[in-house]
Amino acid sequence: MTPVTRLSALAAATAVGLFMTAASADDIVFRAADTHDADYPTVQAVDYMGQLLSDWTSGRITIETFPGRQLGEERDTIEQTIIGALDINRVNLAPLNNIVPETAIPSLPYIFRSIDHMHRAMDGEIGQQIMAALEPHGMVGLAFYDSGARSFYNTVRPINSPEDMEGLRIRVQNSDLFVSMVEALGANATPMEFGQVYDALRTGVIDGAENNWPSYESTRHFEVANYYTLDQHSLSPEILMMSKIVWDGLSESDQDLVMKAAALSVPYMRELWDARVAASRDVVVGNGNEIVEEVDKQPFIDAMGPVYEQFVTTPELQDLVDRIQAMP
Ligand code: BDP
């Protein structure tokens, strides 16, 4: 061995040694799942949260994000979170509706008058109460993220009123509430995982779906479903959560750090979100899609009575609805 190679072998051994000391048994690497790709605001916000945790702990706590459904569809990742096989998960509230009845309340059609109203509710006591309801089911809520407004798009015709929905096959998330909402409008609801929607639209298995601007754009659904009506039927927010099994294994001070980093990722996410909505809208409009911007929402709202009856079934759930509606 020449002196130089001996030296570099020594350097390599030292580096490995250093690395091994750095990656000590106390190190925590949280695995975090998201259905969206790496450039989507929800994923970027969790990356930011991981950066904060790493900075605060000199690298002892980090987050490794797995975007783009690498760990499965939301139904799978929710299951993994509950059994402790996944640490952190970012999903929409809708696929939790069937598991935790309280999560159905912010998903209800037209429950919020505006995004600001939704923020006021979810950033305060209502949001806390809904997060607390997750715990007996094995999940700990860390933050609510924005998801804008969900609206209908389809391959067949512009929707101007509930009558135009008649008979259309509309994909919904795995939530009985969303099934009921679409059926109350006279369409046929098809629950389906997010990753299957593009092909289903393209091959005509379904006629349409519903989502916000960024998801309509990022999935390229807008390329096959050209009609988008801004009926804004649901502001169902996103939730960032941790497995309760994993949470219970953390020290109290690490739990605090996780909560603080999650809270700081919210304003960061909201800024990215607003920019992404504008950019996605530009892409879709640039594609020449037919956007029904001015839609009379009243007939859509009027059709939703049965949905409230079906899902607001206890005094506790009714109380949540009343408190949200009474908010300024
Ligand atoms: C998007 C949500 C994502 C859902 C998806 C869907 O961000 O969590 O999986 O909608 O419709 O807006 O399934």
Side-chain angles (χ1 to χ4, degrees), residues 35-36 74 90-92 147 150 171 173 194 211-212 215 238:
T35 189
H36 292 297
E74 291 189 350
R90 197 293 312 159
V91 294
N92 191 256
S147 196
R150 298 181 75 97
R171 174 270 173 174
Q173 303 181 76
F194 196 43
N211 225 311
N212 51 47
S215 285
E238 317 284 13

Side-chain angles (χ1 to χ4, degrees), residues 1 3 18 38 43 75 140 145 211:
M1 209 184 253
L18 279 178
V43 182
R75 190 211 293 261
V140 175
Y145 285 158
N211 225 311

Side-chain angles (χ1 to χ4, degrees), residues 7-23:
L7 206 64
S8 48
L10 186 71
T14 316
V16 169
L18 279 178
F19 175 74
M20 287 175 68
T21 347

Side-chain angles (χ1 to χ4, degrees), residues 99-136:
I99 307 172
V100 185
E102 287 83 350
T103 64
I105 303 303
S107 299
L108 279 167
Y110 300 106
I111 177 111
F112 300 115
R113 292 182 300 276
S114 63
I115 301 280
D116 279 350
H117 182 202
M118 187 270 286
H119 284 165
R120 282 195 297 279
M122 303 313 283
D123 291 349
E125 266 175 41
I126 307 253
Q128 287 306 315
Q129 190 176 332
I130 290 163
M131 281 195 184
L134 295 175
E135 294 208 15

Side-chain angles (χ1 to χ4, degrees), residues 34-36 40 42 69 73-74 90-93 95 146-147 150 153 171-174 192-195 197 210-212 214-216 221 236 238 273:
D34 198 307
T35 189
H36 292 297
Y40 204 84
T42 49
R69 286 188 288 284
E73 297 280 0
E74 291 189 350
R90 197 293 312 159
V91 294
N92 191 256
L93 273 190
D146 278 30
S147 196
R150 298 181 75 97
Y153 49 83
R171 174 270 173 174
V172 291
Q173 303 181 76
N174 284 310
M192 187 184 284
E193 294 294 355
F194 196 43
V197 181
E210 44 88 52
N211 225 311
N212 51 47
S215 285
Y216 179 42
H221 294 175
S236 184
E238 317 284 13
W273 180 257

